[in-house]
Amino acid sequence: MATNEKIGDDLNEWRYPVFTVGPGEDDLQRRILHDRYLKDMNINDSKWDAHSSAADSVLGTVLDGIKKYAREEFKGLIIHGNVRQGSAREGLRVNDALEFDCLVQFEIEGMQVTECPVYDYSGEEMVELIKLRVENPEYLLRNYPWLKRNEIFTKTGSYYSSYFINTKNLQEKVFKSMLDKTREQVYEQLPYGDRTVYTFRRSVNPPTFPIRISLDREISYVCNLYSNVTLEGLNESFQANYGHLPTLDIDFVPSLVLRTDYVPNPFTVNRVTYANSEMTCTVYGVMKWAHRLDESERTVDHEYLWRESTCGYEKHIIDVGRRNPSQRYLMTACRIVKSYVAWMKSNRRNTNQLHRVAVSYYLKNVCFHCIALLTVPSKTTSLSGVKEALGYFLQFLELCIENRNLPHFFYGNPWVHEMFLNCTFGCNKSKKNLYSRLSMDTFVQAEGAFRIMLQDLKGMYKEFHTLDADRVGPFKELLGLSHTYRRPQKTFCAMPCSFSVVLVLCVIVVGILVAVVTNTINK
């Protein structure tokens, strides 16, 4: 990584997928590139450029539209811009460059809010979810009439004494309205003959507004001008599997800045420099309202839900990982498993339920656990190549499936603080099991499918019995399992480090005094 390369919050671009093999793994690379399950894993650069450019054009058009209607109809609602996120931003996309995710940052000018916990019906705090209490509602309601007209602030809580942002109304009555008007505007600009070609469909799936565009003739916008692009060499598997040409899918996610955390600056770590030792990591809130979601069914606050997005940390980990060969091997291993699962699902082999326990976000969490436990501790920082990395990755995934438990990397995980000392997640929050809502039958079928995957990928990974069991031990402990180590392991101290040091020094001093007194008495 060059010293002037942008990363994390400073980088807002789509990134080419990571694909790195280790020394002496040329044969493995050839097998990956030609394997029936993985042959489409890597994306043609020209297709990546064309589709990412089209996505940016669409996002630019949408952004211009909602900014226009925000100014005209929603005084005080400020739309700042797009923040790219997801696998296309992180370099973890597989098989095609047809899906893009972005946050659209907004604010209500002058609004002051406080994050409040959300509880389920049993009184237990719901990890990852919050609601936002408005501290100055009278001022805002007086200056921005649309807030009252659309019931954006609703009284709830104890004795109905506080105003909270109603995410259902904010999404349904404000953002949906602006996006629909933008869609109509784009449609009207098209020549009549292109209106049957260009498809701009909008649906609502909180927190996202998915936009789908037909690629039978791709239309790329620059202001009010457009050019038709004929796609060459379309992936034959799309037509073979689906009977039609592919579509470009863009997930548009309105987001509010909750806070700004600070993370280590990799360019200044362990260096004598006048540059900042830390850099920003923005934590966003995204609207989570939806009656059909599992979370909303478990709480009375279902119309006020926001999710704390960890995408800022996720982008930082991946961007910094590009500097480290071992971490690149783990990202490549993650993409291998993603590609295999995607092939199985797209080829009508989705009854095995493997895709349910190995969705993209779950696999990314496994990847983060591997990075933290296999490459961050100072005594064991390296992996020999993709074969070893894939072995550990699959073993971590197997442990999760067998134990019906995939710990969310950013909640209740002490190892987060090994990477980010001041992270506002980690030990500061309760644990979250990403598998908690999956059925027992799903796991039974997924276990069988996992065994088939091990056979299909045999030879691409190091067999589990040849891996260092002690390097897997910390992950087993995260799952609540025991492990007997061959050598002493680092333990997390429950006391502040400075207090621990003082305590040790006191014990040493007392020991010396006792020895001196004893020696004097004996004389």
Side-chain angles (χ1 to χ4, degrees), residues 350-363:
N350 56 354
T351 55
N352 56 31
Q353 298 298 300
L354 181 62
H355 67 283
R356 294 288 304 279
V357 300
V359 299
S360 179
Y361 190 67
Y362 294 171
L363 295 178

Side-chain angles (χ1 to χ4, degrees), residues 220-276:
S220 180
Y221 270 85
V222 180
C223 298
N224 292 326
L225 303 176
Y226 68 91
S227 59
N228 294 331
V229 181
T230 301
L231 299 183
E232 298 179 356
L234 286 170
N235 191 330
E236 295 179 358
S237 65
F238 275 95
Q239 296 190 59
N241 294 326
Y242 300 109
H244 58 74
L245 295 172
T247 57
L248 181 67
D249 293 309
I250 304 171
D251 276 352
F252 165 96
V253 185
S255 64
L256 194 67
V257 174
L258 297 179
R259 58 186 179 274
T260 300
D261 287 359
Y262 289 88
V263 295
N265 184 342
F267 302 120
T268 61
V269 172
N270 300 325
R271 294 181 185 176
V272 178
T273 176
Y274 294 104
N276 293 331

Side-chain angles (χ1 to χ4, degrees), residues 247-470:
T247 57
L248 181 67
D249 293 309
I250 304 171
D251 276 352
F252 165 96
V253 185
S255 64
L256 194 67
V257 174
L258 297 179
R259 58 186 179 274
T260 300
D261 287 359
Y262 289 88
V263 295
N265 184 342
F267 302 120
T268 61
V269 172
N270 300 325
R271 294 181 185 176
V272 178
T273 176
Y274 294 104
N276 293 331
S277 61
E278 293 183 315
M279 57 189 301
T280 63
C281 181
T282 306
V283 179
Y284 297 95
V286 295
M287 295 179 283
K288 195 63 177 175
W289 168 82
H291 281 297
R292 63 184 176 278
L293 293 178
D294 292 331
E295 291 92 342
S296 65
E297 294 173 354
R298 295 158 50 201
T299 177
V300 69
D301 292 318
H302 50 75
E303 293 186 358
Y304 308 94
L305 296 182
W306 296 78
R307 179 176 63 82
E308 294 178 302
S309 173
T310 58
C311 73
Y313 280 98
E314 294 168 20
K315 291 186 291 188
H316 189 85
I317 291 174
I318 296 295
D319 289 348
V320 173
R322 286 176 176 261
R323 312 172 74 199
N324 184 316
S326 293
Q327 294 181 13
R328 288 179 66 91
Y329 301 150
L330 287 167
M331 295 176 211
T332 303
C334 179
R335 293 186 63 241
I336 288 173
V337 178
K338 283 182 65 173
S339 186
Y340 177 91
V341 173
W343 189 95
M344 284 295 179
K345 184 177 181 181
S346 65
N347 282 273
R348 304 297 191 266
R349 295 176 65 178
N350 56 354
T351 55
N352 56 31
Q353 298 298 300
L354 181 62
H355 67 283
R356 294 288 304 279
V357 300
V359 299
S360 179
Y361 190 67
Y362 294 171
L363 295 178
K364 183 163 62 173
N365 270 264
V366 174
C367 185
F368 289 157
H369 283 298
C370 288
I371 288 174
L373 298 176
L374 301 175
T375 68
V376 173
S378 58
K379 62 190 173 192
T380 54
T381 58
S382 64
L383 296 169
S384 59
V386 170
K387 190 170 185 177
E388 184 180 14
L390 184 56
Y392 282 113
F393 190 98
L394 289 170
Q395 187 168 33
F396 278 37
L397 180 58
E398 179 187 53
L399 286 167
C400 292
I401 296 172
E402 287 182 347
N403 293 278
R404 282 71 167 146
N405 182 12
L406 171 51
H408 194 298
F409 181 76
F410 293 99
Y411 288 91
N413 179 10
W415 290 93
V416 170
H417 298 289
E418 288 288 289
M419 304 171 73
F420 307 109
L421 182 63
N422 299 313
C423 179
T424 50
F425 302 105
C427 291
N428 305 325
K429 304 282 186 176
S430 301
K431 292 182 178 180
K432 180 180 177 69
N433 177 11
L434 293 171
Y435 282 171
S436 62
R437 305 298 292 180
L438 299 181
S439 69
M440 183 63 68
D441 184 59
T442 294
F443 288 108
V444 171
Q445 294 186 50
E447 285 179 350
F450 183 84
R451 299 298 166 202
I452 295 173
M453 179 171 66
L454 291 182
Q455 290 300 314
D456 290 339
L457 300 181
K458 196 172 184 64
M460 293 189 187
Y461 60 90
K462 289 188 70 172
E463 299 290 340
F464 296 168
H465 69 275
T466 66
L467 300 173
D468 185 345
D470 281 356

